[in-house]
Amino acid sequence: MGSRAKRGTLPGAVVMGIDAAVRSIELAVAGNPNCTTGLFTLNRVVGIQKGPSGGEEILALLYADDPWFGYWYGHILRHPKNREVFVSLLAWSVHLPNAPTVPLFFRRFHFWVTKRGVIRPCAIQNRDDAYQEDSSLGGAAANLAKIIGCFSLEKRRGNEDSPYANDPLEPRVLDAYRGWWVPGLDAPIFPMPTPLTVVKNSGGRGKYFGEPDMY
């Protein structure tokens, strides 16, 4: 007798377990260059020799669990006024920029930060929790590692119903992004923001579609 199809499947159906099925879809996605999800889905830490700040920059994605809680980054960049100083900071944003290449990734991040103002000050318990300065890249990296080491979503958001509701905010984070003028960033970089007509019908989920009303 000929072989029978496995019970629960149609004749001629390919019998495949979940792991093999997932792998087949992974190969399909990887095989199409039009399917791209950017650098931050592959690397949580990205660096560039000369970024929009005019020098070495490092950007790390610390938290991206749910848009309601915002997106949290560790960033090293040149100070906008004192070019001899590297700033290590914790950036709280309502936007998750991404890109397929490192230069475009940093350009997009700076565009949203400097032109769209999507950075928010976070709560701190100590002066060095979210902002530090150093004259060397190595020192800045060590400082950022300390900032990352003490990162806690509850402490940094300062929710009204938390023990940290009355903790001060860190305004120097905003100052580190002020004063930058990046050539070519005077117009939105593709992909464009969601049209306001879509935002209006999105249930009031923020200034841009998918961005939470954080205040």
Side-chain angles (χ1 to χ4, degrees):
M1 295 178 64
S3 60
R4 294 182 178 179
K6 188 176 180 180
R7 180 175 295 181
T9 63
L10 296 174
V14 177
V15 179
M16 181 181 293
I18 185 65
D19 292 338
V22 169
R23 180 55 182 163
S24 69
I25 301 304
E26 288 177 340
L27 292 174
V29 172
N32 186 347
N34 294 318
C35 297
T36 176
T37 53
L39 294 173
F40 259 165
T41 59
L42 303 174
N43 308 284
R44 293 182 62 179
V45 182
V46 181
I48 190 171
Q49 190 67 30
K50 187 175 182 180
S53 68
E56 299 95 331
E57 288 191 49
I58 297 175
L59 195 62
L61 180 62
L62 309 186
Y63 188 95
D65 188 4
D66 189 285
W68 174 255
F69 299 112
Y71 303 98
W72 297 79
Y73 307 92
H75 195 185
I76 295 176
L77 71 161
R78 294 281 186 176
H79 194 283
K81 296 181 179 179
N82 187 353
R83 306 291 296 170
E84 302 301 319
V85 169
F86 284 97
V87 173
S88 303
L89 57 81
L90 181 66
W92 177 18
S93 177
V94 295
H95 191 69
L96 180 67
N98 213 337
T101 66
V102 172
L104 180 57
F105 171 72
F106 278 92
R107 284 169 61 84
R108 283 180 176 172
F109 184 86
H110 275 264
F111 168 77
W112 283 100
V113 169
T114 62
K115 301 299 181 183
R116 293 298 174 88
V118 296
I119 293 296
R120 303 287 188 266
C122 63
I124 57 173
Q125 293 75 50
N126 299 287
R127 183 171 174 81
D128 294 334
D129 284 347
Y131 182 97
Q132 297 187 43
E133 296 181 356
D134 199 275
S135 60
S136 69
L137 181 62
N143 289 339
L144 185 57
K146 295 177 183 177
I147 292 174
I148 294 173
C150 68
F151 172 75
S152 168
L153 184 67
E154 183 181 12
K155 292 180 179 180
R156 297 296 164 259
R157 291 191 77 208
N159 293 339
E160 293 181 2
D161 57 348
S162 77
Y164 311 101
N166 297 320
D167 288 343
L169 301 180
E170 179 51 88
R172 292 178 297 173
V173 169
L174 301 180
D175 293 336
Y177 290 117
R178 289 180 179 140
W180 285 115
W181 179 82
V182 183
L185 295 190
D186 288 332
I189 300 174
F190 180 85
M192 301 288 283
T194 304
L196 293 178
T197 54
V198 177
V199 177
K200 183 178 180 180
N201 297 322
S202 67
R205 286 184 290 169
K207 184 178 179 182
Y208 298 103
F209 181 74
E211 294 179 355
D213 291 316
M214 302 175 73
Y215 292 98

